[in-house]
Amino acid sequence: YDDKTLLSMYVLFQRLQEELNGLIAPYKKDYKFLAKKDKDHCKNLPRLLDKTPREIFNLLYIGDYYNNREELSRYLHNRNKWAVEGRYYSVNFLNYICNQTTVELRSLQSTYNFDYIMMWLLINTSIIKFAEANFDKIINSKEKIELQDCLSFYIRDEKLLEVLLHNI
């Protein structure tokens, strides 16, 4: 974990979210469905204006902890997780920030379909690996980055890449 990786992952997932939303079940973004639930558990990531880690902390309602990070793990531990507002985005960065552990990818609906699960694993791993290796391209460039760029960067097996792009 570091601020540079956090920022790169956040901005890349935010830039790709419309493309990713096209791959999920339509009900996940249907306002009629969400109105019945009282909460959208997979909100789109807000766009960062300043592209700083502090701005991410503020968007996740943990801005007070930016300079006091040793308290972050207690912040999550001492709260009912259902009441932590910053976790309800399609990509939940709170455990990554607070406990330096995981990024929760919330868009995949329940399934036992192995191929669908594997496709999502490859997609999200590709995005994360691309973000780790391409900070300047993501943060400082106006160049459009598409999901295919991330997949081509990470997946070296041409046949697997071809099948995955076809499935998408």
Side-chain angles (χ1 to χ4, degrees):
Y1 169 86
D2 61 32
D3 281 356
K4 187 175 176 180
T5 304
L6 169 66
L7 185 60
S8 186
M9 280 195 301
Y10 183 99
V11 170
L12 184 57
F13 271 109
Q14 192 281 323
R15 287 174 69 176
L16 293 173
Q17 68 190 352
E18 289 306 317
E19 196 172 357
L20 292 169
N21 286 344
L23 301 176
I24 62 174
Y27 77 86
K28 286 271 195 171
K29 293 297 175 187
D30 179 22
Y31 291 109
K32 291 177 189 170
F33 171 78
L34 296 172
K36 294 177 194 170
K37 294 183 63 103
D38 293 329
K39 189 179 280 191
D40 181 356
H41 290 83
C42 296
K43 294 185 291 190
N44 284 339
L45 293 168
R47 188 165 185 228
L48 299 177
L49 300 176
D50 298 328
K51 291 186 184 170
T52 64
R54 181 182 284 279
E55 188 177 7
I56 296 170
F57 275 60
N58 290 337
L59 287 170
L60 299 178
Y61 306 99
I62 56 173
D64 295 343
Y65 293 92
Y66 185 75
N67 292 322
N68 193 15
R69 296 186 187 194
E70 58 276 355
E71 297 293 321
L72 275 170
S73 62
R74 283 194 289 256
Y75 167 79
L76 279 185
H77 185 71
N78 293 333
R79 283 176 174 64
N80 175 350
K81 76 178 194 172
W82 311 114
V84 178
E85 194 61 33
R87 72 189 293 266
Y88 293 112
Y89 291 103
S90 57
V91 183
N92 175 5
F93 289 99
L94 282 172
N95 278 320
Y96 183 73
I97 293 170
C98 296
N99 299 320
Q100 299 182 4
T101 55
T102 59
V103 174
E104 180 186 11
L105 306 158
R106 302 175 61 93
S107 293
L108 177 64
Q109 62 270 17
S110 297
T111 184
Y112 292 111
N113 182 323
F114 174 80
D115 293 331
Y116 194 62
I117 294 168
M118 185 57 67
M119 183 180 84
W120 272 99
L121 284 170
L122 289 170
I123 288 170
N124 287 300
T125 302
S126 297
I127 294 169
I128 291 168
K129 292 300 184 184
F130 188 92
E132 289 173 341
N134 292 284
F135 177 84
D136 287 331
K137 185 175 188 173
I138 294 165
I139 303 301
N140 299 322
S141 173
K142 301 283 188 211
E143 181 182 338
K144 183 167 178 60
I145 299 171
E146 296 178 334
L147 184 54
Q148 183 172 343
D149 299 321
C150 299
L151 294 169
S152 298
F153 172 83
Y154 180 66
I155 298 171
R156 301 292 184 214
D157 183 299
E158 289 185 29
K159 183 67 176 165
L160 175 61
L161 180 61
E162 180 184 324
V163 169
L164 188 58
L165 292 172
H166 174 77
N167 287 338
I168 290 172

